[in-house]
Amino acid sequence: ITMRMFSEEKKNGTEQLLLTSPRSVTSIVLGKFFAAVAVILITLVLSIIYAVIISFFGNVYVPTLIITMLGFLLVAMAAISIGMLASSITENQIIAGVITIGFFILTWFLPQFSSIFTNFSLINMFSKFPTGQIDIADTVTFVTFTISCILLTIIVMQRRKSVR
């Protein structure tokens, strides 16, 4: 979903419509970001049905469920933001997808090579959420990473707009 956000627009030539529209680049990037987050939120809300079904057969610990969903939302927002950045850099959505997936795989396996990279693994930061723990440092890292990627996407798109 995020890999097509900007790369397909460049490929199809509709990017110029966006860049010449009366909307600012910031509002376009944020609009696409929040639309993708809305898809994730709808999926999370619909997945609550499983918790309701399980509650008929056993106990559901709701705080852990909510914290896990929050962690998943944070990881998804980070993935959306890095996907948007990759999509704004390249014309091909497959290359944007490879960049995004490659980034997450790289950050997942880097801590195994050196403990220096432990703080950079978004997947490892998520691992505390399913246990019912909200780590403020991990939450701030997710939010900071997401905002940074969104800002970089805005900068890339702004530069593209000023070149045209």
Side-chain angles (χ1 to χ4, degrees):
I1 200 172
T2 60
M3 289 31 131
R4 292 184 67 161
M5 284 187 173
F6 294 107
S7 60
E8 278 295 307
E9 306 231 359
K10 281 185 262 184
K11 188 176 180 183
N12 293 336
T14 56
E15 179 187 41
Q16 292 190 2
L17 290 173
L18 280 179
L19 296 178
T20 59
S21 72
R23 289 278 179 206
S24 68
V25 171
T26 303
S27 65
I28 292 169
V29 170
L30 289 177
K32 287 180 178 265
F33 174 76
F34 287 125
V37 170
V39 171
I40 299 297
L41 283 173
I42 290 169
T43 305
L44 283 174
V45 168
L46 291 176
S47 69
I48 292 176
I49 293 170
Y50 293 113
V52 171
I53 292 170
I54 291 173
S55 69
F56 287 120
F57 300 106
N59 295 330
V60 175
Y61 193 59
V62 177
T64 302
L65 176 70
I66 292 171
I67 291 170
T68 303
M69 286 184 165
L70 171 70
F72 178 77
L73 181 64
L74 290 171
V75 169
M77 288 170 56
I80 290 167
S81 66
I82 191 68
M84 280 178 52
L85 178 60
S87 180
S88 70
I89 293 170
T90 183
E91 253 185 52
N92 192 336
Q93 67 182 2
I94 294 172
I95 293 173
V98 168
I99 290 170
T100 304
I101 293 169
F103 175 80
F104 277 101
I105 289 174
L106 186 67
T107 60
W108 190 6
F109 288 115
L110 274 180
Q112 294 177 359
F113 298 113
S114 175
S115 62
I116 297 170
F117 299 114
T118 304
N119 295 334
F120 296 111
S121 177
L122 299 176
I123 303 299
N124 287 348
M125 285 188 267
F126 170 73
S127 66
K128 295 176 189 167
F129 285 91
T131 62
Q133 300 174 4
I134 298 177
D135 189 3
I136 299 300
D138 292 342
T139 305
V140 169
T141 303
F142 279 125
V143 172
T144 304
F145 178 81
T146 301
I147 291 171
S148 299
C149 287
I150 290 172
L151 289 175
L152 286 172
T153 304
I154 291 170
I155 290 169
V156 167
M157 295 304 293
Q158 195 71 31
R159 286 183 153 223
R160 186 165 290 122
K161 183 176 183 174
S162 65
V163 169
R164 298 201 185 255

